[in-house]
Structure formats: structure tokens, C-alpha cells
Amino acid sequence: MISSWYYVAASVVLFIVYYRKCRECVWGRCKNTSSLQDRVFIVTGANSGIGKETAKELAKRKATVVMACRNMQNAKNVISEIRHQISNGELIPMELDLASFSSIREFAAEILKNFPKIHVLINNAGVYRPLRDRAFTEDGFEIHFGVNYLGHFLLTNLLIERLKESAPSRVVIVTSKLLESGVVDFSNLNGEKCLTIKTRMNPFYSNSKLENMYFGIELAQRMKEHNVNVYMVCPGFAYTGLFRHVKRSLYHYILFMPMALLFLRTANQAAQTVLHCAIEPSLANESGHLYRNCELYEPNKQFSSDIAHELWEKSVELTASKETAK
């Protein structure tokens, strides 16, 4: 006789499968499969996670994809992996370390020398480090502020004239729903006050995602007359290597497993809204908005144009960047 536990276990498994399928239905997929031949896309952090899947989907559509990665060997390995599945498109690995202003400037100079057109810049790369690591960029900035926000701010502004020349063009900025718990404290942008704070989540990560949102709002305003559209994207909670620096015990993984099965997206599923904002023609007049699940998303947060402008001016000062969007 089959144990009643078998029926209980089977019912639980069926419920999880059914619930996940229901979740997947609302996550959305990019439905546009048009050819992107002769169009140039730059994807930061394209050697893993969401960036890798975005590059793969673009290549599938015959795009030219510059894979901007810190580790060139990893980038080449990913290209080899993609080529086992997809022969379309052009995949070009280029070195970019967003924790180094000099690397960003060198990368931008190479791009401007070799690519007469840039149609879409996808600011995807991100880092998450525990507070105890006290991690900083090469230029002395708190790692989340420096990489997730400030590095992409500098990169975008170094390339903005080429994007304007290539119009209609786009900038896609990957942020997160965690921006809703972020703050922009101009007296603590670099983590001067809170590096010893004890909390499960790193507040500077949330802050950097809010800063990305403000960056997109201000950039969209400045690009209104230049046909460069700007989209912010929350890709959703996904299984990627973002939290690889966070040490967890086996006990934590066991507790986390049910939530992962129910709520965690694959990297490809998370890439769909990024892709949607990068290529969907119907978004041509929708610049300056946040997207989630391939549709407009209204965050539980009020945004101030004054803060967006002040953050922009402060970022110009911190990056010593003369090449800024106007």
C-alpha cells in the first residue's frame, strides 16, 4: 500500500510546479523577433547572468553585440558557449572594468574609434558585496555607488554623442525594485557614515539602484530633443551570480530552496524585460519610465526632479567628466 506521505509529497510538487507556471505567465517575454542585423548593442557585464542571456538573445536576432566585460577569458568562454547554440550575429569581447575610471575611458575611446554607430547601450553590470568587505573601487568610491551607478554614469556620458549621432537610439539602465527602499543622501553617497551598519541586506546596493533610477530620469529629460530614449528596467529576482560574495550555510540554502522554486527567475527570464526595452518598436515614445515584466511599472516611490538634477551635477564633479549629456 502506498504511503499517504507519497500523496502529500506528490501534491506539494504539483502545487509548486503549477504555482511557478502561473508566475511565469505574468513575468512576460519579449515577443519581438525582428532581425537586428547591422545594429550595434553594447552590453556591460555580458559574460554572466542577465547580461549573458541578453547578448545571446541579441545574437539570435543577428545583432552586433559588444560584450563589455571585466574578465576577457570569461567573455571568450561565454562566446564559445553561445556559438555552440547560435551562429547568428557578431559577438565582440572588449575589456571594461566599471570599478576603474581609467578602464572606462579606455573602453569608450576604443568604442568611439571602432564603431561609427551605437544603437543601444545596455547598462547591465552590477555588484553586490557584504558590508563587512568594506569594498571600494580603484578610484576610492564605495563599491555599489562606484560600480552600479557612477561607472555607468561616466560610461554613458562618454558615449552619449555617438548615441545622439546614431539616433534613434536607446539607453537601457538595469535597476531593481529594491530602489523602493533606497535613499539618496548627498552627505553619505560614498558610505562615509554607515560602513559598520549591521543589516541582512546592504543598503548601499538599494541606494545604487535608486541612483540609477534618478540617472535615467535626468538622462531622459536631457535627451528629449535628440531621439535617444532611456528605459529603466527591474528584471526581477533571478538566479544569477550577483550574490556570489555572500557566504551562506547549507542551512540557509535549504530554507531558501522553496522560495527559489516558487519565485526565482532564470537569467533568461530576467533578461526578457531588458531585451523588450532594448528592441521593442512600440516603446519609441515611452522614454524615462521604469519597466518590469515587459510592461510599465509604477514603483512605490516618489521621485524628485530636483534630486535627479543635483545627483547628476554631483556625479559630473565626482567623475571629473566634461563629456556630459546636454
Side-chain angles (χ1 to χ4, degrees), residues 72-256:
M72 289 301 289
Q73 188 56 55
N74 287 347
K76 291 173 183 177
N77 292 342
V78 165
I79 290 174
S80 178
E81 179 186 330
I82 292 174
R83 284 297 178 226
H84 278 95
Q85 306 170 45
I86 301 164
S87 59
N88 293 335
E90 186 176 3
L91 298 169
I92 305 168
M94 289 184 64
E95 185 172 354
L96 171 65
D97 183 357
L98 286 161
S100 164
F101 286 171
S102 62
S103 174
I104 296 168
R105 292 184 182 279
E106 288 171 10
F107 172 83
E110 283 297 305
I111 288 289
L112 295 175
K113 182 173 74 173
N114 294 311
F115 295 91
K117 296 286 184 181
I118 304 170
H119 298 100
V120 182
L121 169 62
I122 301 177
N123 291 329
N124 160 77
V127 64
Y128 183 97
R129 297 287 293 272
L131 280 171
R132 64 175 178 273
D133 288 358
R134 298 179 64 87
F136 294 86
T137 69
E138 180 182 286
D139 303 280
F141 295 102
E142 193 278 325
I143 195 73
H144 304 89
F145 176 62
V147 171
N148 298 350
Y149 166 66
L150 207 55
H152 280 124
F153 175 88
L154 176 59
L155 175 65
T156 304
N157 279 294
L158 290 170
L159 300 178
I160 199 66
E161 288 302 319
R162 185 60 47 88
L163 283 158
K164 286 158 68 173
E165 292 165 6
S166 307
S169 56
R170 299 185 179 192
V171 178
V172 179
I173 301 171
V174 177
T175 179
S176 167
K177 194 174 183 293
L178 288 173
L179 68 84
E180 294 175 345
S181 61
V183 296
V184 177
D185 181 351
F186 289 102
S187 67
N188 192 38
L189 289 176
N190 208 32
E192 297 90 343
K193 299 178 182 176
C194 306
L195 280 176
T196 58
I197 191 172
K198 293 184 178 180
T199 178
R200 188 175 295 275
M201 288 296 294
N202 189 327
F204 297 130
Y205 179 81
S206 300
N207 294 352
S208 71
K209 293 304 177 180
L210 177 58
E211 288 151 3
N212 278 340
M213 184 68 192
Y214 274 120
F215 171 36
I217 291 170
E218 182 70 13
L219 182 62
Q221 184 66 27
R222 290 171 181 251
M223 290 296 103
K224 260 186 175 180
E225 307 302 321
H226 300 287
N227 206 9
V228 180
N229 287 342
V230 183
Y231 308 94
M232 289 70 80
V233 172
C234 170
F237 192 26
Y239 181 75
T240 67
L242 178 65
F243 296 103
R244 61 188 178 277
H245 297 292
V246 179
K247 306 302 180 186
R248 296 285 187 236
S249 66
L250 179 61
Y251 170 74
H252 285 106
Y253 282 109
I254 292 171
L255 286 179
F256 179 70

Side-chain angles (χ1 to χ4, degrees), residues 272-288:
Q272 295 303 311
T273 306
V274 177
L275 192 66
H276 177 72
C277 288
I279 70 174
E280 173 53 46
S282 66
L283 302 186
N285 298 316
E286 299 295 335
S287 183

